[in-house]
Amino acid sequence: MEYRVLNVGRDPVVLDPARLSLKGKDGPFSFRLLWREGAAVPGRLLPNETERGAFLIERGTPPVELTWTATVVGSGRQVVLSQRWGEVK
């Protein structure tokens, strides 16, 4: 699956892959992060910077629910990114 994240805030944001969770009908999915590009430093998005990447889901049954907790640099505030897919093409 591919993803794209845009930081529309005023502060840098950290996206740590250890805080990425993928769950399905049968529980958590095993996955591998395949690539990340766009941001000057992968996983650290400056304001108005975009990162895109892809991860490979090892196995599981849809629906797929992604949850990724991002941390705002400076304040330490956490933002939860989430998406749910009913079927995967």
Coordinates of all heavy atoms in Angstrom, one line a residue:
M1 N 0.8 -1.2 0.0 CA 0.0 0.0 0.0 C 0.9 1.2 0.0 O 2.0 1.2 0.6 CB -0.9 0.0 1.2 CG -1.9 -1.2 1.3 SD -2.9 -1.1 2.7 CE -4.1 0.1 2.2
E2 N 0.4 2.3 -0.7 CA 1.2 3.5 -0.7 C 0.5 4.5 0.2 O -0.7 4.5 0.4 CB 1.3 4.0 -2.1 CG 2.1 3.1 -3.0 CD 2.3 3.7 -4.4 OE1 2.2 5.0 -4.6 OE2 2.6 3.0 -5.3
Y3 N 1.3 5.5 0.6 CA 0.8 6.6 1.5 C 1.4 7.9 1.0 O 2.5 7.9 0.4 CB 1.0 6.3 3.0 CG 2.4 6.5 3.4 CD1 2.9 7.7 3.8 CD2 3.3 5.4 3.4 CE1 4.2 7.9 4.2 CE2 4.6 5.6 3.8 CZ 5.1 6.8 4.2 OH 6.4 6.9 4.6
R4 N 0.7 9.0 1.4 CA 1.3 10.3 1.2 C 0.8 11.2 2.3 O -0.4 11.2 2.7 CB 0.7 10.9 -0.1 CG 1.2 12.3 -0.4 CD 0.8 12.8 -1.8 NE 1.1 14.2 -1.9 CZ 0.2 15.2 -1.8 NH1 -1.1 14.9 -1.5 NH2 0.5 16.4 -1.9
V5 N 1.7 11.9 3.0 CA 1.4 12.8 4.1 C 2.0 14.2 3.8 O 3.1 14.3 3.4 CB 2.1 12.2 5.4 CG1 1.8 13.1 6.6 CG2 1.6 10.8 5.7
L6 N 1.1 15.2 4.1 CA 1.5 16.6 3.9 C 1.4 17.3 5.3 O 0.4 17.2 5.9 CB 0.6 17.3 2.9 CG 0.7 18.8 2.8 CD1 2.1 19.2 2.3 CD2 -0.4 19.3 1.9
N7 N 2.5 17.9 5.7 CA 2.5 18.7 6.9 C 1.9 20.1 6.6 O 2.6 20.9 6.0 CB 3.9 18.8 7.5 CG 3.9 19.6 8.8 OD1 2.9 20.1 9.3 ND2 5.1 19.7 9.4
V8 N 0.7 20.4 7.0 CA 0.1 21.7 6.8 C 0.2 22.6 8.0 O -0.3 23.7 8.0 CB -1.4 21.5 6.4 CG1 -1.5 20.8 5.0 CG2 -2.2 20.8 7.5
G9 N 0.9 22.1 9.0 CA 1.1 22.9 10.3 C 2.3 23.9 10.2 O 2.9 24.0 9.1
R10 N 2.6 24.5 11.3 CA 3.7 25.5 11.3 C 4.9 24.9 11.9 O 6.0 25.6 11.9 CB 3.2 26.7 12.2 CG 2.2 27.5 11.5 CD 1.7 28.7 12.3 NE 0.8 28.2 13.4 CZ 0.6 28.7 14.5 NH1 1.2 29.8 14.9 NH2 -0.2 28.1 15.4
D11 N 4.9 23.7 12.5 CA 6.0 23.1 13.1 C 6.4 21.8 12.4 O 5.5 21.1 11.8 CB 5.7 22.8 14.6 CG 5.4 24.1 15.4 OD1 6.2 25.0 15.3 OD2 4.3 24.1 16.0
P12 N 7.7 21.4 12.5 CA 8.0 20.1 12.0 C 7.3 18.9 12.7 O 6.9 19.1 13.9 CB 9.5 20.0 12.3 CG 10.0 21.4 12.5 CD 8.8 22.1 13.1
V13 N 7.1 17.8 12.0 CA 6.4 16.7 12.5 C 7.3 15.4 12.3 O 7.9 15.3 11.3 CB 5.0 16.5 11.8 CG1 4.4 15.2 12.2 CG2 4.1 17.7 12.1
V14 N 7.3 14.5 13.3 CA 8.0 13.3 13.2 C 7.1 12.1 13.0 O 6.1 12.0 13.8 CB 8.9 13.1 14.4 CG1 9.6 11.7 14.4 CG2 9.9 14.2 14.6
L15 N 7.3 11.3 12.0 CA 6.5 10.1 11.7 C 7.5 8.9 11.9 O 8.3 8.6 11.1 CB 6.1 10.1 10.2 CG 4.9 10.9 9.9 CD1 4.7 11.0 8.4 CD2 3.6 10.5 10.6
D16 N 7.4 8.3 13.1 CA 8.2 7.2 13.4 C 7.5 5.9 13.0 O 6.4 5.6 13.4 CB 8.4 7.2 14.9 CG 9.3 6.1 15.4 OD1 9.6 5.2 14.6 OD2 9.5 6.0 16.7
P17 N 8.1 5.1 12.2 CA 7.5 3.8 11.7 C 7.1 2.9 12.9 O 6.2 2.1 12.7 CB 8.5 3.2 10.8 CG 9.6 4.1 10.6 CD 9.4 5.2 11.6
A18 N 7.8 3.0 14.0 CA 7.4 2.2 15.1 C 6.1 2.5 15.7 O 5.5 1.8 16.5 CB 8.5 2.3 16.2
R19 N 5.5 3.7 15.3 CA 4.2 4.1 15.8 C 3.1 3.9 14.8 O 2.1 4.5 14.9 CB 4.3 5.6 16.2 CG 5.5 5.7 17.3 CD 5.4 7.0 18.0 NE 4.4 6.8 19.0 CZ 4.0 7.8 19.7 NH1 4.6 9.0 19.6 NH2 3.0 7.7 20.6
L20 N 3.4 3.1 13.7 CA 2.5 2.8 12.7 C 1.9 1.5 13.0 O 2.5 0.5 13.3 CB 3.2 2.7 11.3 CG 2.5 2.2 10.1 CD1 1.3 3.1 9.8 CD2 3.4 2.1 8.9
S21 N 0.5 1.4 12.9 CA -0.2 0.2 13.2 C -1.2 -0.1 12.1 O -1.9 0.8 11.6 CB -1.0 0.4 14.5 OG -1.9 -0.7 14.7
L22 N -1.2 -1.3 11.6 CA -2.1 -1.8 10.6 C -2.9 -3.0 11.2 O -2.3 -4.0 11.6 CB -1.4 -2.3 9.4 CG -0.8 -1.2 8.5 CD1 0.2 -1.8 7.5 CD2 -1.8 -0.3 7.9
K23 N -4.2 -2.8 11.2 CA -5.1 -3.9 11.8 C -6.1 -4.3 10.7 O -6.5 -3.5 9.9 CB -5.8 -3.4 13.0 CG -4.8 -3.1 14.1 CD -5.6 -2.6 15.4 CE -4.6 -2.3 16.4 NZ -5.3 -1.7 17.6
G24 N -6.5 -5.5 10.8 CA -7.5 -6.0 9.9 C -8.6 -6.8 10.7 O -8.6 -6.8 11.9
K25 N -9.4 -7.5 10.0 CA -10.5 -8.3 10.5 C -9.9 -9.4 11.6 O -10.5 -9.6 12.6 CB -11.2 -9.1 9.4 CG -12.4 -9.9 9.8 CD -13.0 -10.5 8.6 CE -14.1 -11.4 8.9 NZ -14.7 -12.0 7.8
D26 N -8.7 -9.9 11.3 CA -8.2 -10.9 12.1 C -7.1 -10.4 13.1 O -6.4 -11.2 13.7 CB -7.5 -12.0 11.2 CG -8.5 -12.6 10.3 OD1 -9.7 -12.8 10.6 OD2 -8.1 -12.9 9.1
G27 N -7.1 -9.1 13.3 CA -6.1 -8.5 14.2 C -5.0 -7.8 13.5 O -5.2 -7.4 12.3
P28 N -3.9 -7.5 14.2 CA -2.8 -6.7 13.6 C -2.2 -7.4 12.3 O -2.1 -8.6 12.3 CB -1.7 -6.6 14.7 CG -2.4 -7.0 15.9 CD -3.6 -7.9 15.5
F29 N -1.8 -6.6 11.3 CA -1.1 -7.1 10.2 C 0.4 -7.0 10.4 O 0.9 -6.0 11.0 CB -1.4 -6.3 8.9 CG -2.8 -6.4 8.3 CD1 -3.5 -5.4 7.9 CD2 -3.4 -7.7 8.2 CE1 -4.7 -5.5 7.3 CE2 -4.6 -7.9 7.7 CZ -5.3 -6.8 7.2
S30 N 1.1 -7.9 9.9 CA 2.6 -7.8 9.8 C 2.9 -7.1 8.5 O 2.3 -7.3 7.5 CB 3.2 -9.2 9.8 OG 4.6 -9.2 9.7
F31 N 3.8 -6.1 8.6 CA 4.1 -5.3 7.4 C 5.6 -4.9 7.4 O 6.3 -4.9 8.4 CB 3.2 -4.1 7.3 CG 3.5 -3.1 8.4 CD1 4.4 -2.0 8.2 CD2 2.8 -3.2 9.6 CE1 4.6 -1.1 9.2 CE2 3.1 -2.3 10.6 CZ 3.9 -1.2 10.4
R32 N 6.1 -4.5 6.2 CA 7.4 -3.9 6.1 C 7.3 -2.6 5.4 O 6.6 -2.5 4.4 CB 8.3 -4.8 5.3 CG 8.7 -6.1 5.9 CD 9.6 -6.9 5.1 NE 9.1 -7.3 3.8 CZ 9.7 -7.2 2.7 NH1 11.0 -6.8 2.6 NH2 9.2 -7.6 1.5
L33 N 8.0 -1.6 5.9 CA 8.0 -0.3 5.2 C 9.1 -0.4 4.1 O 10.2 -0.8 4.3 CB 8.5 0.8 6.2 CG 8.3 2.2 5.8 CD1 6.8 2.5 5.4 CD2 8.7 3.2 6.9
L34 N 8.6 -0.2 2.8 CA 9.5 -0.5 1.7 C 10.3 0.7 1.3 O 11.5 0.6 0.9 CB 8.6 -0.9 0.5 CG 7.9 -2.2 0.7 CD1 7.0 -2.5 -0.6 CD2 8.8 -3.4 0.9
W35 N 9.7 1.9 1.3 CA 10.5 3.1 0.9 C 9.7 4.3 1.4 O 8.6 4.3 1.7 CB 10.7 3.2 -0.6 CG 9.5 3.1 -1.5 CD1 9.0 1.9 -2.0 CD2 8.6 4.1 -1.9 NE1 7.8 2.2 -2.7 CE2 7.6 3.5 -2.7 CE3 8.6 5.5 -1.7 CZ2 6.6 4.3 -3.3 CZ3 7.6 6.2 -2.3 CH2 6.6 5.6 -3.1
R36 N 10.5 5.4 1.5 CA 10.0 6.7 1.9 C 10.8 7.7 1.1 O 12.0 7.6 0.9 CB 10.3 7.0 3.4 CG 9.7 6.0 4.3 CD 10.2 6.2 5.7 NE 9.2 7.1 6.4 CZ 9.3 7.2 7.7 NH1 10.2 6.7 8.4 NH2 8.4 8.0 8.3
E37 N 10.1 8.7 0.6 CA 10.7 9.8 -0.2 C 10.0 11.1 -0.1 O 8.8 11.1 0.3 CB 10.9 9.4 -1.7 CG 9.6 9.3 -2.4 CD 9.9 8.8 -3.9 OE1 10.8 8.1 -4.1 OE2 9.0 9.2 -4.7
G38 N 10.6 12.2 -0.5 CA 10.0 13.5 -0.5 C 10.5 14.4 0.5 O 11.0 15.5 0.2
A39 N 10.5 14.0 1.8 CA 11.0 14.8 2.8 C 12.5 14.8 2.8 O 13.2 13.8 2.4 CB 10.5 14.3 4.2
A40 N 13.2 15.9 3.2 CA 14.6 16.0 3.2 C 15.2 15.0 4.1 O 16.2 14.3 3.8 CB 15.1 17.4 3.6
V41 N 14.5 14.7 5.2 CA 14.9 13.7 6.2 C 13.7 12.7 6.3 O 12.7 13.2 6.8 CB 15.3 14.2 7.5 CG1 15.6 13.1 8.5 CG2 16.5 15.2 7.4
P42 N 13.8 11.5 5.9 CA 12.7 10.6 6.0 C 12.1 10.5 7.4 O 12.9 10.4 8.4 CB 13.2 9.2 5.5 CG 14.4 9.6 4.7 CD 15.0 10.8 5.3
G43 N 10.8 10.7 7.5 CA 10.2 10.6 8.8 C 10.1 11.9 9.6 O 9.5 12.0 10.6
R44 N 10.7 13.0 9.0 CA 10.7 14.3 9.7 C 10.2 15.3 8.6 O 11.0 15.7 7.7 CB 12.0 14.7 10.2 CG 12.0 16.0 11.0 CD 13.4 16.2 11.6 NE 13.4 17.5 12.3 CZ 13.5 17.7 13.6 NH1 13.5 16.7 14.3 NH2 13.5 18.9 14.1
L45 N 9.0 15.8 8.7 CA 8.4 16.7 7.8 C 8.4 18.1 8.3 O 7.8 18.4 9.3 CB 6.9 16.2 7.5 CG 6.7 15.1 6.5 CD1 7.0 13.8 7.2 CD2 5.4 15.1 6.0
L46 N 9.0 19.0 7.5 CA 9.0 20.4 7.8 C 7.6 20.9 7.3 O 6.9 20.3 6.6 CB 10.1 21.1 7.0 CG 11.5 20.6 7.4 CD1 12.5 21.3 6.5 CD2 11.8 20.9 8.9
P47 N 7.2 22.1 7.8 CA 6.0 22.7 7.3 C 5.9 22.7 5.8 O 6.9 23.1 5.1 CB 6.0 24.1 7.9 CG 6.8 24.0 9.1 CD 7.9 23.0 8.7
N48 N 4.7 22.4 5.2 CA 4.5 22.3 3.8 C 5.3 21.2 3.1 O 5.4 21.3 1.8 CB 4.6 23.7 3.1 CG 3.6 24.6 3.7 OD1 2.4 24.3 3.8 ND2 4.1 25.8 4.0
E49 N 5.9 20.3 3.8 CA 6.7 19.3 3.1 C 5.8 18.0 3.1 O 5.0 17.7 3.9 CB 8.0 19.0 4.0 CG 9.0 18.2 3.2 CD 10.3 18.2 4.0 OE1 10.3 18.1 5.2 OE2 11.3 18.3 3.3
T50 N 6.1 17.2 2.0 CA 5.3 16.0 1.8 C 6.2 14.8 1.8 O 7.4 14.9 1.4 CB 4.7 16.0 0.4 OG1 3.7 17.1 0.3 CG2 3.9 14.8 0.1
E51 N 5.8 13.7 2.4 CA 6.5 12.5 2.4 C 5.5 11.4 1.8 O 4.3 11.5 2.0 CB 6.9 12.0 3.7 CG 7.5 10.6 3.7 CD 8.0 10.1 5.0 OE1 9.0 10.7 5.6 OE2 7.4 9.2 5.6
R52 N 6.0 10.6 0.9 CA 5.3 9.5 0.4 C 6.1 8.2 0.5 O 7.3 8.3 0.6 CB 4.7 9.7 -1.0 CG 5.8 9.8 -2.0 CD 5.2 10.2 -3.4 NE 6.1 9.8 -4.4 CZ 5.9 8.8 -5.2 NH1 4.8 8.1 -5.2 NH2 6.8 8.4 -6.1
G53 N 5.4 7.1 0.6 CA 6.1 5.9 0.7 C 5.2 4.7 0.5 O 4.1 4.9 0.1
A54 N 5.7 3.5 0.8 CA 4.9 2.3 0.6 C 5.3 1.3 1.7 O 6.4 1.3 2.2 CB 5.1 1.7 -0.7
F55 N 4.3 0.5 2.0 CA 4.6 -0.6 2.9 C 3.9 -1.9 2.3 O 2.9 -1.8 1.6 CB 4.2 -0.4 4.4 CG 2.8 0.3 4.5 CD1 1.7 -0.4 4.6 CD2 2.8 1.7 4.6 CE1 0.4 0.2 4.7 CE2 1.5 2.3 4.7 CZ 0.4 1.6 4.8
L56 N 4.5 -3.0 2.6 CA 4.0 -4.3 2.2 C 3.4 -5.0 3.3 O 4.0 -5.2 4.4 CB 5.2 -5.1 1.6 CG 4.8 -6.5 1.2 CD1 3.9 -6.5 0.0 CD2 6.1 -7.3 0.9
I57 N 2.1 -5.3 3.2 CA 1.4 -6.1 4.2 C 1.6 -7.6 3.9 O 1.4 -8.1 2.8 CB -0.1 -5.8 4.1 CG1 -0.4 -4.3 4.4 CG2 -0.9 -6.7 5.1 CD1 -1.8 -3.9 4.2
E58 N 2.2 -8.2 4.9 CA 2.5 -9.6 4.8 C 1.3 -10.5 4.5 O 1.3 -11.3 3.6 CB 3.3 -10.1 6.0 CG 4.6 -9.4 6.3 CD 5.6 -9.5 5.2 OE1 5.6 -10.5 4.5 OE2 6.5 -8.6 5.1
R59 N 0.3 -10.4 5.4 CA -0.9 -11.2 5.2 C -2.0 -10.7 6.1 O -1.7 -10.1 7.2 CB -0.7 -12.7 5.4 CG -0.4 -13.1 6.8 CD -0.3 -14.5 6.9 NE 1.1 -14.9 6.7 CZ 1.6 -16.0 7.1 NH1 0.9 -17.0 7.6 NH2 2.9 -16.3 6.9
G60 N -3.2 -10.9 5.8 CA -4.4 -10.4 6.6 C -5.6 -10.3 5.8 O -5.6 -10.5 4.5
T61 N -6.7 -10.1 6.4 CA -8.0 -10.0 5.8 C -8.6 -8.6 5.9 O -8.6 -8.1 7.0 CB -9.0 -11.0 6.4 OG1 -8.4 -12.3 6.4 CG2 -10.3 -11.0 5.7
P62 N -9.0 -8.0 4.8 CA -9.6 -6.7 4.9 C -10.9 -6.7 5.7 O -11.5 -7.8 5.8 CB -9.9 -6.3 3.4 CG -9.0 -7.2 2.6 CD -8.8 -8.4 3.4
P63 N -11.3 -5.6 6.2 CA -10.9 -4.3 6.0 C -9.5 -4.0 6.7 O -9.1 -4.7 7.6 CB -12.0 -3.4 6.6 CG -12.5 -4.3 7.7 CD -12.5 -5.7 7.2
V64 N -8.8 -3.0 6.2 CA -7.5 -2.6 6.7 C -7.7 -1.2 7.4 O -8.3 -0.3 6.8 CB -6.5 -2.4 5.6 CG1 -5.2 -1.9 6.1 CG2 -6.3 -3.7 4.9
E65 N -7.2 -1.1 8.6 CA -7.3 0.1 9.4 C -5.8 0.6 9.7 O -5.1 -0.2 10.4 CB -8.1 0.0 10.6 CG -8.3 1.3 11.3 CD -9.2 1.1 12.5 OE1 -10.1 0.2 12.5 OE2 -9.1 1.9 13.5
L66 N -5.4 1.7 9.2 CA -4.1 2.3 9.5 C -4.2 3.3 10.6 O -5.1 4.2 10.5 CB -3.5 2.9 8.2 CG -2.2 3.6 8.4 CD1 -1.3 3.4 7.2 CD2 -2.4 5.1 8.6
T67 N -3.3 3.3 11.6 CA -3.2 4.3 12.6 C -1.7 4.7 12.7 O -0.9 3.7 12.9 CB -3.7 3.8 13.9 OG1 -5.1 3.4 13.8 CG2 -3.7 4.9 15.0
W68 N -1.4 5.9 12.6 CA 0.0 6.3 12.7 C 0.1 7.6 13.6 O -0.5 8.6 13.2 CB 0.6 6.7 11.3 CG 2.1 6.6 11.2 CD1 3.0 6.7 12.2 CD2 2.8 6.5 10.0 NE1 4.3 6.6 11.7 CE2 4.2 6.5 10.3 CE3 2.5 6.5 8.6 CZ2 5.2 6.5 9.4 CZ3 3.5 6.4 7.7 CH2 4.8 6.4 8.1
T69 N 0.7 7.5 14.7 CA 0.8 8.6 15.6 C 2.1 9.5 15.3 O 3.2 9.0 15.3 CB 0.9 8.1 17.1 OG1 -0.2 7.3 17.3 CG2 0.9 9.3 18.0
A70 N 1.8 10.7 14.9 CA 2.9 11.7 14.6 C 3.1 12.6 15.8 O 2.2 12.9 16.6 CB 2.5 12.5 13.4
T71 N 4.4 13.0 16.0 CA 4.7 13.9 17.1 C 5.2 15.3 16.5 O 6.0 15.3 15.6 CB 5.8 13.3 17.9 OG1 5.4 12.1 18.4 CG2 6.2 14.2 19.1
V72 N 4.6 16.4 17.1 CA 4.9 17.7 16.7 C 6.2 18.1 17.4 O 6.2 18.1 18.6 CB 3.8 18.7 16.9 CG1 4.2 20.1 16.6 CG2 2.5 18.3 16.2
V73 N 7.2 18.5 16.7 CA 8.5 18.9 17.3 C 8.3 20.2 18.1 O 7.7 21.1 17.6 CB 9.6 19.0 16.2 CG1 10.9 19.6 16.8 CG2 9.8 17.7 15.5
G74 N 8.8 20.2 19.3 CA 8.8 21.4 20.1 C 7.7 21.3 21.2 O 8.0 21.2 22.3
S75 N 6.5 21.1 20.8 CA 5.4 21.0 21.7 C 5.2 19.5 22.3 O 4.7 19.3 23.3 CB 4.0 21.4 21.1 OG 3.6 20.5 20.2
G76 N 5.7 18.6 21.4 CA 5.5 17.2 21.8 C 4.1 16.7 21.6 O 3.7 15.5 21.9
R77 N 3.2 17.6 21.1 CA 1.8 17.2 20.9 C 1.8 16.0 19.9 O 2.6 15.9 18.9 CB 1.0 18.4 20.3 CG -0.4 18.1 20.1 CD -1.1 19.4 19.7 NE -0.7 19.9 18.5 CZ -1.4 19.9 17.4 NH1 -2.6 19.4 17.4 NH2 -0.9 20.4 16.2
Q78 N 0.8 15.1 20.1 CA 0.7 13.9 19.2 C -0.6 14.1 18.4 O -1.6 14.5 18.9 CB 0.7 12.7 20.0 CG 2.0 12.4 20.7 CD 2.1 11.1 21.4 OE1 1.1 10.4 21.6 NE2 3.3 10.8 21.9
V79 N -0.4 13.7 17.1 CA -1.5 13.8 16.1 C -1.7 12.3 15.6 O -0.7 11.7 15.2 CB -1.2 14.7 15.0 CG1 -2.3 14.7 14.0 CG2 -0.9 16.1 15.5
V80 N -2.9 11.8 15.6 CA -3.2 10.5 15.1 C -3.7 10.6 13.7 O -4.7 11.2 13.5 CB -4.2 9.7 16.0 CG1 -4.5 8.4 15.4 CG2 -3.6 9.6 17.4
L81 N -3.0 10.0 12.8 CA -3.4 9.9 11.4 C -4.1 8.5 11.2 O -3.6 7.5 11.7 CB -2.2 9.9 10.4 CG -1.3 11.1 10.7 CD1 0.0 10.9 9.8 CD2 -1.9 12.4 10.4
S82 N -5.2 8.5 10.6 CA -5.9 7.2 10.5 C -6.7 7.1 9.1 O -7.1 8.1 8.6 CB -6.9 6.9 11.6 OG -7.9 7.9 11.6
Q83 N -6.8 5.9 8.6 CA -7.5 5.6 7.4 C -8.0 4.2 7.5 O -7.4 3.3 8.0 CB -6.5 5.8 6.2 CG -7.2 5.5 4.9 CD -8.2 6.6 4.5 OE1 -7.9 7.8 4.6 NE2 -9.3 6.2 4.0
R84 N -9.2 4.0 6.9 CA -9.7 2.7 6.8 C -10.2 2.3 5.4 O -10.8 3.2 4.7 CB -11.0 2.6 7.7 CG -11.5 1.2 7.9 CD -12.6 1.2 9.0 NE -12.8 -0.2 9.4 CZ -13.8 -0.9 9.0 NH1 -14.6 -0.5 8.1 NH2 -14.0 -2.1 9.5
W85 N -9.8 1.1 4.9 CA -10.1 0.7 3.6 C -11.0 -0.5 3.7 O -10.6 -1.5 4.4 CB -8.9 0.3 2.8 CG -8.0 1.5 2.5 CD1 -8.1 2.4 1.4 CD2 -6.9 1.9 3.2 NE1 -7.1 3.3 1.5 CE2 -6.4 3.0 2.6 CE3 -6.3 1.4 4.4 CZ2 -5.2 3.7 3.1 CZ3 -5.2 2.1 4.9 CH2 -4.7 3.2 4.3
G86 N -12.1 -0.6 3.0 CA -13.0 -1.7 3.1 C -12.5 -2.9 2.2 O -12.7 -4.0 2.5
E87 N -11.8 -2.6 1.1 CA -11.2 -3.6 0.3 C -9.9 -3.0 -0.3 O -9.8 -1.9 -0.4 CB -12.1 -4.1 -0.8 CG -12.5 -3.0 -1.8 CD -13.4 -3.5 -2.9 OE1 -14.5 -3.8 -2.6 OE2 -12.9 -3.7 -4.1
V88 N -9.0 -3.9 -0.5 CA -7.7 -3.5 -1.1 C -7.6 -4.0 -2.5 O -7.9 -5.2 -2.8 CB -6.6 -4.1 -0.2 CG1 -5.2 -3.7 -0.8 CG2 -6.7 -3.6 1.3
K89 N -7.3 -3.1 -3.4 CA -7.2 -3.5 -4.8 C -5.7 -3.7 -5.2 O -4.8 -3.1 -4.7 CB -7.8 -2.4 -5.7 CG -9.2 -2.2 -5.4 CD -9.8 -1.1 -6.3 CE -11.3 -0.9 -6.0 NZ -11.9 0.1 -6.8

